[in-house]
Amino acid sequence: MVQASTRIALVDDDASVRKALARLLSASSFEITTFGSAREFLKSVKAAPPECLIVDLQMPDITGLDLQRQLVRAGINIPTIVITAYNKPGLRERCQSAGASAFLVKPLDCKTLIGEINTAVHRG
Amino acid sequence: MRVAAVRSWSCMQRPVNREPQPVVSLVELQGMPCSVPPLDGEEADPAIDVFDREAVFIERRLQKWTREFPGLRIILEHLSSKDGVDFVRSASPQVGGTITPYHMQLNRTDWLGAGLKPYMYCMPVIKTEKDRHALRKAATSGQACFFSRHGFRAASGGQEAGREWHSRIVQFAGCN
């Protein structure tokens, strides 16, 4: 099991998902910081890199997949879990080949998410 | 479809008054509608007049919950007042409301106006003609946020109440 103070960053343009996930993960003793856009996250990532990143795939401006690629290009290696409400064929494979530790489809199952966070952090 | 029906609102009251409750976020993330049953959809404070409890519940709690849990879909069961109708309409599509035949058909004058008719007692209590009119208008508006969960159901009065309600509903249906 991951230590209680594991730092997680959540990037999702949907405020209700940010609020709900932050509440749930905080209740599971994770330290969570939320961002409404990939751009917002990129501004802070070098100063305070999280131990695990949860990112929504479909976002305006920079998508979750683009964010993953930008992080790889910048040499920033953060275990990443991609979440999405749109599960199209081939998306999972594309995200995994871009380096995602897990690909989860909304509605999210809390136990699965926490399990994937633990796995991703251990691997990372 | 899975629906979370919360019989005790103590867990829902906490996010407003105390710390947020992750269980509600869990329901929210699952996209599971949360049903507020009759009785629980009214303020339980005995200082509040029984005819105002739905409106006060909306003002004190539901408005806060919709802000606190923006992704939570809430069904307010058995709307009984114009305030309830107006709130559901304004908070739609996050909030929906069910309407019963008896709240559409009866007002408190039917219940109390010519001697007490105990079989017309139900919760939430039947309210004024203005409220009944708003409920009927909502029910026939075609708006998706208003629907009926129950068909005809006698809340407390057995066969006599059933017959009276049934005849009124037939009359209601006939005059629409």
Side-chain angles (χ1 to χ4, degrees), chain A:
Chain A
M1 183 58 109
V2 169
Q3 290 299 305
S5 58
T6 302
R7 283 172 289 109
I8 295 170
L10 167 66
V11 185
D12 197 314
D13 61 320
D14 186 336
S16 67
V17 173
R18 287 201 304 273
K19 212 168 181 180
L21 265 183
R23 198 176 271 140
L24 270 175
L25 294 175
S26 299
S28 303
S29 300
F30 291 101
E31 187 187 318
I32 184 156
T33 313
T34 62
F35 301 89
S37 69
R39 208 171 285 280
E40 203 185 311
F41 170 71
L42 285 168
K43 279 181 196 165
S44 74
V45 68
K46 279 187 181 167
E51 290 165 82
C52 181
L53 168 66
I54 301 169
V55 61
D56 183 33
L57 191 62
Q58 303 284 334
M59 289 189 294
D61 202 8
I62 301 172
T63 67
L65 202 55
D66 291 337
L67 175 61
Q68 269 187 281
R69 287 171 182 151
Q70 287 198 29
L71 289 172
V72 170
R73 273 202 299 272
I76 301 167
N77 183 27
I78 304 168
T80 303
I81 295 168
V82 176
I83 57 175
T84 184
Y86 309 97
N87 187 16
K88 289 177 188 164
L91 263 182
R92 179 185 300 271
E93 291 72 20
R94 281 172 66 195
C95 290
Q96 284 172 340
S97 64
S101 306
F103 180 89
L104 301 176
V105 179
K106 296 175 187 175
L108 297 171
D109 178 74
C110 190
K111 277 185 188 166
T112 307
L113 178 63
I114 290 171
E116 293 294 356
I117 293 170
N118 287 330
T119 307
V121 172
H122 278 304
R123 266 195 219 142

Side-chain angles (χ1 to χ4, degrees), chain B residues 2 25 44 77 91 138:
Chain B
R2 292 175 294 173
S25 291
E77 299 279 5

